[in-house]
């Protein structure tokens, strides 16, 4: 296990330190590990799209009978989807940021049930201890460590990595779950809040991925779950910066999944929840918006956590928490931008006392997770 502080520009294979300015000047060619011929869900999707276009073209231009084209398409796509090997399900110690409440706490229960030892990270020590005690009540004999730290300050991710490795832990699964939102107009928000949000939602997530990801790449074994959001698909007036930060996470995570083709054994999955009934809503002061009060669209964090773990276990590059979340993201993506922006502004507008979300669960002592399996 490595306890070295990794620096930008350090070559993973050789340990050779390359100053970042040199890397920029030289185009950093040594650090590209481009891979194309890989069986992953990107290539399976790509092959499915090419086969579909070819089947349609054969019907339109070559007058091929529709049933024959359909059968040909099924003969290519079904084996690809059903028979090709999936990555191994995750195992080993999992570090979960944002484990003191909401989706992160629920993921802690799911992962304890699935056999992981856990390192739970958040700021609220009392709630972290409550999650740990709930896990112990499952009677699964897991080792659970808690670390309270504020990841919204510069250098916190490196500090967390240093502590975890100095304590002798080997993190096999990283869940980047800690996140913060803030409803309102960006010009009205304190600069300090914006800075903390970007540091927590983006910088800490990237740095933890780099630090723990490099160790995983060296061991050729590891799993990373990035919690982004349906908001990563929506430009959101009145919840602007949060959704912009999730656009960053989505782009980062999708591109990382391609880069990881060059680092066999490491899986990166992005979980995209829709509006979920957690403290996030009240903390972001979004409990009086159309998006959050429209009860049909607000999801149970337990179900969201299960969807994320399933996606990670099957090596998916991205997974929505529900059909509702997938449909919202897809339709808003397809809509003309003027429609998109108007709908997003409506969804994030305050209802000024007309409706309010039920307060979400705060105290994890009120949550009694069930033993699974
Ligand atoms: N709820 C939604 O509608 C929704 C929708 C899409 C995506 N998401 C994303 O899902 C993730 C989990 O959110 P949630 O819904 O479960 O909300 P939550 O219950 O408020 O959980 C947020 C977690 O992040 C931690 N956290 C917040 N600020 C932190 C900081 N400065 N340093 C370290 N940890 C910090 C919190 O820990 P402490 O309280 O101990 O600081 C808490 O454990 C977030 O990334 C969020 O953006 C949420």
């Amino acid at each position: 296990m490595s306890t070295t502080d990794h620096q930008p520009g350090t070559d993973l294979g050789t340990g050779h330190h390359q100053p970042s300015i040199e890397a920029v000047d030289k185009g950093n060619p040594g650090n590209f590990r481009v891979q194309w011929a890989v069986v992953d869900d990107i290539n399976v999707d790509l092959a499915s799209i090419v086969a579909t276009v070819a089947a349609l073209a054969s019907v339109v231009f070559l007058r091929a009978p529709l049933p024959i084209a359909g059968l040909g398409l099924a003969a290519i796509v079904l084996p690809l989807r059903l028979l090709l090997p999936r990555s191994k399900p995750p195992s080993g110690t999992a570090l979960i940021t944002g484990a003191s409440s909401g989706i992160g706490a629920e993921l802690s229960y799911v992962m304890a049930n699935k056999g992981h030892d856990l390192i739970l990270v958040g700021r609220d020590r009392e709630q972290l201890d409550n999650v740990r005690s709930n896990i112990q009540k499952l009677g699964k004999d897991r080792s659970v460590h808690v670390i309270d730290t504020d990841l919204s300050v510069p250098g916190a991710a490196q500090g967390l990595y240093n502590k975890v490795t100095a304590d002798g832990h080997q993190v096999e699964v990283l869940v980047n779950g800690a996140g913060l939102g803030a409803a309102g107009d960006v010009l009205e928000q304190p600069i300090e809040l914006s800075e903390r949000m970007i540091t927590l939602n983006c910088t800490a997530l990237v740095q933890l991925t780099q630090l723990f990801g490099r160790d995983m790449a060296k061991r050729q074994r590891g799993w990373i779950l990035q919690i982004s959001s349906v908001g990563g698909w929506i430009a959101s007036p009145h919840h602007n910066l949060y959704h912009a930060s999730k656009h960053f996470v989505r782009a980062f995570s999708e591109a990382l999944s391609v880069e990881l083709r060059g680092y066999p054994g490491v899986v990166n999955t992005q979980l995209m929840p829709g509006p979920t009934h957690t403290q996030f809503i009240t903390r972001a002061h979004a409990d009086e918006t159309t998006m959050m009060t429209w009860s049909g669209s607000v999801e149970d964090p337990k179900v969201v956590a299960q969807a994320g773990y399933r996606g990670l276990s099957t090596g998916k590059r991205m997974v929505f928490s529900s059909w509702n979340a997938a449909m919202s993201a897809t339709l808003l993506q397809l809509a003309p931008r003027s429609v998109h922006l108007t709908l997003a502004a409506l969804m994030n507008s305050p209802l000024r006392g007309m409706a309010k979300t039920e307060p979400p669960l705060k105290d994890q002592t009120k949550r009694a997770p069930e033993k699974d399996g």
Side-chain angles (χ1 to χ4, degrees):
M1 189 201 57
S2 163
T3 54
T4 322
D5 289 6
H6 293 293
Q7 300 297 328
T10 302
D11 185 287
L12 191 61
T14 62
H16 169 70
H17 182 74
Q18 186 182 37
S20 54
I21 185 71
E22 199 182 312
V24 170
D25 286 348
K26 292 187 175 170
N28 206 7
N31 291 347
F32 292 117
R33 297 190 183 192
V34 182
Q35 298 266 341
W36 301 103
V38 172
V39 181
D40 61 6
D41 67 340
I42 302 167
N43 274 342
V44 170
D45 279 357
L46 186 65
S48 306
I49 289 166
V50 171
T52 307
V53 171
L56 286 173
S58 68
V59 172
V60 174
F61 298 114
L62 304 178
R63 305 254 178 253
L66 197 57
I68 302 288
L71 278 176
L73 178 61
I76 294 170
V77 171
L78 287 181
L80 276 179
R81 299 247 156 226
L82 300 175
L83 302 179
L84 285 177
R86 297 250 174 230
S87 59
K88 283 191 208 141
S91 58
T93 299
L95 182 144
I96 304 177
T97 72
S100 57
S101 69
I103 300 167
E106 295 300 331
L107 266 162
S108 309
Y109 304 138
V110 170
M111 294 177 96
N113 268 318
K114 295 288 181 191
H116 297 271
D117 290 333
L118 294 163
I119 303 169
L120 310 176
V121 181
R123 286 169 309 174
D124 186 334
R125 180 70 191 216
E126 196 184 337
Q127 289 304 323
L128 287 170
D129 285 338
N130 291 339
V131 174
R132 171 166 55 184
S133 123
N134 281 343
I135 290 169
Q136 280 158 353
K137 282 185 211 148
L138 291 171
K140 296 273 189 175
D141 197 23
R142 306 284 176 245
S143 132
V144 185
H145 297 268
V146 300
I147 300 177
D148 51 311
T149 183
D150 185 345
L151 289 170
S152 70
V153 293
Q158 180 75 59
L160 174 62
Y161 173 82
N162 292 349
K163 173 160 180 48
V164 167
T165 48
D167 288 351
H169 299 294
Q170 183 168 294
V171 171
E172 309 261 29
V173 187
L174 168 67
V175 178
N176 274 318
L180 174 70
D185 293 340
V186 77
L187 294 186
E188 306 283 344
Q189 286 170 338
I191 299 276
E192 189 258 345
L193 174 64
S194 313
E195 192 173 359
R196 280 184 43 218
M197 198 192 303
I198 294 168
T199 306
L200 178 67
N201 295 4
C202 304
T203 313
L205 177 140
V206 170
Q207 290 179 352
L208 291 175
T209 302
Q210 290 181 301
L211 293 164
F212 289 108
R214 282 170 181 162
D215 291 344
M216 292 175 189
K218 282 182 192 154
R219 294 194 298 265
Q220 303 204 336
R221 179 189 156 80
W223 294 263
I224 305 171
L225 181 65
Q226 318 279 11
I227 305 192
S228 68
S229 170
V230 161
W233 299 82
I234 309 171
S236 279
H238 318 306
H239 208 156
N240 184 346
L241 200 50
Y242 170 70
H243 285 190
S245 76
K246 293 298 180 177
H247 275 69
F248 174 91
V249 176
R250 176 165 72 90
F252 170 73
S253 187
E254 286 194 65
L256 178 66
S257 293
V258 178
E259 289 178 6
L260 284 176
R261 287 171 166 176
Y263 305 84
V266 185
V267 170
N268 179 70
T269 299
Q270 179 191 186
L271 168 64
M272 294 172 289
T276 306
H277 200 227
T278 67
Q279 282 187 83
F280 171 87
I281 299 176
T282 33
R283 282 174 164 170
H285 300 285
D287 47 352
E288 286 193 50
T289 58
T290 312
M291 189 187 302
M292 295 302 186
T293 49
W294 187 21
S295 60
S297 71
V298 178
E299 301 179 21
D300 179 345
K302 186 174 151 190
V303 177
V304 173
Q306 286 164 342
Y309 193 80
R310 255 196 321 276
L312 188 66
S313 303
T314 48
K316 296 257 184 221
R317 71 184 186 282
M318 54 191 220
V319 58
F320 286 100
S321 56
S322 65
W323 278 105
N324 191 12
M327 287 297 289
S328 310
T330 310
L331 291 177
L332 278 163
Q333 198 65 11
L334 292 175
R337 293 310 283 176
S338 55
V339 176
H340 174 117
L341 289 169
T342 308
L343 284 175
L346 279 171
M347 286 192 302
N348 287 301
S349 294
L351 292 172
R352 308 211 184 282
M354 284 190 288
K356 194 169 179 165
T357 328
E358 286 287 306
L361 177 76
K362 182 163 193 267
D363 183 357
Q364 288 292 319
T365 57
K366 306 258 163 58
R367 171 82 180 86
E370 311 78 33
K371 197 189 284 193
D372 170 28

